Amino acid sequence: MLSSLRYTQRFTLLFLIAILGIAITLWGSHLQQQLHTNTEQANFEKQSSTFAKNFQKSLDQKIEVLQSLQAFYLSSTSVDRQEFHRFVEGALARHPDIIALNWAPRITEQQRDAFEQEIRQHSSASIGIYQTNPSAKKRQPSPEASAYLPIQFSEPLHDNLAILGLNIISRPSLQETLLRVYQQRLIQTTPPLQLLQRPDGPPGVVLCAPLFTPSFNGDRQPFPNDLTGVLLLVLQPALTLQKAIEHKTRNTDYLLQADQAIGSSLLNYKSQAPIDTVKPGVFIYKAQINIPGAQWSLEIRQHRDNRRTLTSYITLALGLMITALVLLIFIRDKNNSLKQLASAKQLARSRLQAQTAVEIAQIGICQLNTDSGEATLNPQGAELLRKRTNEQPFAIEQLFNMMSPTGRQQFKQQLQQLYGGEIDRFEIEIDIYDSCASTAARWFRFLCKQGRDGSTTIVIATFIDITEQKQAEDRLTQLANHDALTGLPNRRLLNDRLQIAIANAHRHRSQVAIALVDLDKFKPVNDQLGHDYGDLLLIQLAQRLIALTRGSDTCARIGGDEFLLVLSEQGNTAQTLQSLARVHQELEKPFKLHGHIVTISASIGVASYPEDGESLNQLIRRADQAMYSAKQQGPGQTVCYNQLRT
């Protein structure tokens, strides 16, 4: 009886161990599945994040193209069709997914006939200024109106002949966007719309960049008189994404929407995976895509195959049943170890979350105690100013010494006003050279106010790094004032330099020579070697002209192959001609263009202040007349305007 009882107990124990082993097997299988799922999800999120960032970067590059074209128009008095083509052809080559770059000027009813004659020279099928129905498949001439916004230039031209003359203000899908453009005077993006040149293709969007005359009087009506036109960049986001999607997994869906409204989908790409191989279980990644005046939603879904084989469960069950007897002995200690491990992991996660929150904030805090003359930084502030932990607290004077002389003086003045009660806080932007003796300054924005540390009055300064913002502002200034190819001053900066030179000449009773340099035989270089070689020739020529000019002179590019030299402090015409003779000698030297030897010459027209005129436009116009006279005399000639009067 006792033996039977012991046998029953042993059998029961073995049965319980078997049940425990099976349970542990299923638990282990679940953990393995969960680990595998977590790994797959982490990889999916990483790949999806990279995909979204690359798409955002691609859109940002196209926005920079539109901003560069906007800056080019702002720096030019007028742009003809050939200049528009030369400027945008490089950008279109770099970004083949740009459907079109367009220019739509403001045309009045009185200008309509001349405008329609001009576009018919490039499109014999054009019906002039026209509008379309909502489906973009039917065209009809625009009714008479006080003003229009028709497309005059479009590149690439052969793909966009159909849209020449399209009055963009007549399209309902563009009207709301153009209204925001007029009111905010910033680049804006349209909702999804059907493209006229591709009526059966996927939806597209249009980025609109306005151009206004400098004489803005505050009028922000839907069609202001100071609007000169709108630059348009046309995209089909589906084409850009589909090229990248071709190399991704076949079990992935992509959805790109402009907003939550029905019909706002820009891309809805469904995977081609067979339905019977896809079990329940989907990874989802969502990202916001920023574009001027709009925010798109990108959603990526990856279907998972959750099937498991029965053999894997049986194998794991048998293995765990064999080791269950040993595991039973250590089960209590194992449970305690697992609890301790879970607690340690939870503590580590909490610390990591706290550290991540501090790093994401990227805000430095500095306490200035003028009584003790010491400054203390929080860890993030020490990292921003590159101060080691063992250097704290440190003397306030060390912080001042890191600032530029101008920034240091302004900061101290504001501190005195703060302590004197004249202000309760101040904000200032300062360039700082860090303690590692870096030659490149970084910019910080400080917000300072008074506080208390017990009975001591202190100054609490919070600061952030704005170096990238400053660099972006410098790049925009460079684009607005310099030629994108050669880096020389453009017309906008040239006018400022010329005004300064004339003012100095008037003050010192000296002369200023305006030399208009037009290249001879430049067109054959473009025709025979290609535009890339032509661009390289212009870059090398610009470098030679810069080497010949003095610090008080200016060399600018004002057209395709036209340059203008402003030679200040000229004593007489002979001195000017002597300087220009050196220009001829330098330009006639051979140019080496990737294995090709090219020789050119230049025709130069000269006008002098004050002998040939006193206004900017008058001097440039007379230099142009002299240059054309030099052209008629043959290559490599220089003609002064005063020679034309004799």
Side-chain angles (χ1 to χ4, degrees):
M1 184 69 181
L2 182 61
S3 175
S4 176
L5 180 61
R6 289 178 178 176
Y7 178 81
T8 302
Q9 290 176 343
R10 290 177 182 177
F11 179 82
T12 303
L13 180 61
L14 289 176
F15 178 78
L16 292 176
I17 291 175
I19 296 298
L20 180 62
I22 294 174
I24 292 175
T25 300
L26 295 176
W27 177 67
S29 177
H30 173 73
L31 289 180
Q32 183 183 19
Q33 172 68 11
Q34 188 63 39
L35 178 62
H36 179 70
T37 300
N38 292 341
T39 302
E40 283 186 343
Q41 184 170 8
N43 291 335
F44 165 75
E45 290 179 352
K46 182 178 179 180
Q47 293 174 359
S48 298
S49 175
T50 301
F51 183 89
K53 289 178 180 178
N54 289 339
F55 180 54
Q56 179 70 68
K57 182 179 179 181
S58 175
L59 290 177
D60 292 342
Q61 289 173 346
K62 294 170 179 60
I63 295 169
E64 290 178 359
V65 169
L66 187 58
Q67 290 173 336
S68 298
L69 184 58
Q70 187 181 30
F72 173 67
Y73 264 78
L74 290 173
S75 63
S76 305
T77 55
S78 63
V79 177
D80 59 26
R81 189 179 300 274
Q82 187 178 8
E83 290 175 334
F84 183 88
H85 169 76
R86 284 201 301 265
F87 188 88
V88 304
E89 65 177 350
L92 292 174
R94 292 190 299 272
H95 305 284
D97 52 338
I98 294 179
I99 304 302
L101 279 167
N102 304 324
W103 163 239
R106 183 178 188 272
I107 300 297
T108 64
E109 179 64 28
Q110 292 77 11
Q111 299 169 327
R112 178 169 181 171
D113 290 340
F115 176 88
E116 292 181 338
Q117 291 178 5
E118 193 274 338
I119 62 172
R120 287 193 179 104
Q121 295 177 3
H122 302 277
S123 176
S124 58
S126 173
I127 62 173
I129 298 177
Y130 70 93
Q131 60 189 32
T132 67
N133 61 347
S135 65
K137 293 185 177 181
K138 183 178 180 181
R139 299 188 299 173
Q140 60 185 16
S142 292
E144 182 176 336
S146 60
Y148 314 88
L149 282 177
I151 294 177
Q152 183 180 19
F153 303 155
S154 183
E155 293 291 339
L157 183 59
H158 61 278
D159 293 335
N160 296 281
L161 284 172
I163 65 172
L164 292 182
L166 172 63
N167 184 20
I168 62 175
I169 195 67
S170 67
R171 293 204 69 178
S173 52
L174 273 167
Q175 290 175 359
E176 182 179 350
T177 303
L178 291 174
L179 181 59
R180 295 200 313 270
V181 167
Y182 303 148
Q183 293 175 342
Q184 300 179 19
R185 297 180 171 254
L186 296 173
I187 296 176
Q188 298 290 324
T189 307
T190 67
L193 52 83
Q194 201 63 45
L195 301 182
L196 178 62
Q197 58 270 59
R198 299 186 180 186
D200 298 323
V205 294
V206 182
L207 278 70
C208 305
L211 292 176
F212 296 92
T213 59
S215 59
F216 173 63
N217 58 4
D219 180 16
R220 295 199 177 186
Q221 297 303 316
F223 208 58
N225 291 329
D226 63 322
L227 177 75
T228 59
V230 180
L231 293 166
L232 309 171
L233 189 148
V234 184
L235 293 174
Q236 280 182 314
L239 300 182
T240 303
L241 286 174
Q242 284 175 352
K243 291 181 180 179
I245 291 172
E246 292 174 356
H247 306 290
K248 303 299 179 183
T249 175
R250 66 191 183 97
N251 294 338
T252 306
D253 300 339
Y254 297 81
L255 177 63
L256 179 65
Q257 284 188 303
D259 51 47
Q260 300 301 321
I262 297 176
S264 64
S265 174
L266 291 168
L267 172 71
N268 191 356
Y269 179 88
K270 295 291 185 180
S271 66
Q272 301 301 317
I275 296 177
D276 60 346
T277 66
V278 180
K279 299 290 183 177
V282 179
F283 293 143
I284 300 176
Y285 178 86
K286 295 183 179 181
Q288 294 294 330
I289 304 299
N290 296 313
I291 195 165
Q295 229 183 26
W296 295 346
S297 173
L298 175 63
E299 181 174 314
I300 304 176
R301 293 173 176 260
Q302 187 178 80
H303 304 274
R304 300 176 52 247
D305 186 357
N306 293 327
R307 291 184 302 176
R308 293 292 182 184
T309 62
L310 181 61
T311 305
S312 65
Y313 288 116
I314 295 175
T315 303
L316 287 173
L318 290 175
L320 287 175
M321 287 176 65
I322 294 173
T323 59
L325 291 173
V326 179
L327 292 175
L328 187 61
I329 299 173
F330 301 101
I331 191 68
R332 181 178 298 177
D333 295 337
K334 190 64 176 178
N335 284 337
N336 293 335
S337 298
L338 289 174
K339 289 180 180 179
Q340 293 175 358
L341 180 60
S343 299
K345 288 183 177 179
Q346 182 62 35
L347 180 59
R349 282 196 295 268
S350 299
R351 290 177 177 176
L352 180 60
Q353 289 172 355
Q355 181 181 355
T356 302
V358 172
E359 292 176 353
I360 291 176
Q362 289 293 314
I363 298 177
I365 302 175
C366 181
Q367 293 185 2
L368 304 178
N369 188 330
T370 55
D371 292 341
S372 64
E374 292 180 341
T376 305
L377 295 167
N378 71 334
Q380 194 63 23
E383 181 180 349
L384 288 173
L385 295 182
R386 298 174 185 172
K387 280 283 186 182
R388 292 186 291 272
T389 305
N390 58 8
E391 294 179 345
Q392 296 198 64
F394 60 94
I396 296 177
E397 199 62 33
Q398 292 184 25
L399 177 62
F400 291 156
N401 291 337
M402 295 170 64
M403 301 177 183
S404 66
T406 303
R408 183 188 312 128
Q409 181 181 2
Q410 294 175 351
F411 194 85
K412 287 183 176 181
Q413 289 177 352
Q414 296 275 29
L415 278 179
Q416 291 177 356
Q417 294 178 3
L418 186 64
Y419 279 118
E422 300 177 30
I423 55 177
D424 60 350
R425 65 181 60 200
F426 68 87
E427 183 175 331
I428 188 172
E429 295 180 357
I430 300 177
D431 49 335
I432 286 182
Y433 295 83
D434 58 49
S435 55
C436 299
S438 173
T439 57
R442 293 179 300 145
W443 282 87
F444 292 87
R445 180 181 291 117
F446 283 80
L447 176 61
C448 303
K449 62 180 181 179
Q450 281 191 342
R452 299 197 66 81
D453 184 7
S455 60
T456 305
T457 300
I458 62 174
V459 172
I460 301 175
T462 59
F463 56 93
I464 58 175
D465 191 334
I466 59 170
T467 304
E468 292 185 358
Q469 176 184 336
K470 285 288 187 180
Q471 291 172 348
E473 292 173 356
D474 292 341
R475 287 195 296 269
L476 286 176
T477 301
Q478 175 72 15
L479 284 173
N481 293 293
H482 292 80
D483 175 52
L485 177 65
T486 63
L488 294 177
N490 56 22
R491 285 182 179 271
R492 183 177 182 179
L493 184 56
L494 171 66
N495 289 340
D496 294 339
R497 297 271 184 90
L498 193 52
Q499 287 179 342
I500 294 173
I502 290 177
N504 289 336
H506 179 74
R507 188 181 305 112
H508 298 99
R509 298 185 180 280
S510 60
Q511 291 186 1
V512 176
I514 310 300
L516 185 60
V517 181
D518 186 89
L519 302 185
D520 303 322
K521 304 176 183 178
F522 177 72
K523 188 176 183 300
V525 175
N526 271 338
D527 294 343
Q528 297 173 13
L529 300 181
H531 290 286
D532 290 341
Y533 285 87
D535 290 345
L536 180 59
L537 174 60
L538 293 175
I539 293 172
Q540 293 185 12
L541 185 142
Q543 293 171 350
R544 294 188 185 184
L545 290 178
I546 292 174
L548 290 172
T549 55
R550 302 166 300 172
S552 59
D553 299 334
T554 297
C555 176
R557 184 186 179 203
I558 62 173
D561 59 348
E562 288 187 344
F563 297 82
L564 193 141
L565 300 176
V566 180
L567 307 176
S568 59
E569 300 176 3
Q570 299 295 299
N572 50 46
T573 303
Q575 180 183 353
T576 301
L577 293 176
Q578 185 178 5
S579 300
L580 296 178
R582 291 195 296 270
V583 172
H584 280 298
Q585 293 174 359
E586 190 66 26
L587 297 187
E588 290 172 358
K589 294 178 181 179
F591 290 83
K592 296 180 180 180
L593 309 177
H594 296 319
H596 295 272
I597 304 300
V598 175
T599 57
I600 61 170
S601 59
S603 299
I604 302 177
V606 184
S608 298
Y609 169 88
E611 180 182 358
D612 298 327
E614 296 186 354
S615 67
L616 301 177
N617 292 335
Q618 190 178 39
L619 288 170
I620 294 177
R621 186 171 62 253
R622 291 183 173 176
D624 188 62
Q625 294 175 3
M627 183 272 293
Y628 276 105
S629 177
K631 281 278 189 185
Q632 294 174 355
Q633 296 181 17
Q637 300 298 317
T638 298
V639 173
C640 296
Y641 180 77
N642 57 17
Q643 296 175 344
L644 303 179
R645 297 181 301 177
T646 58

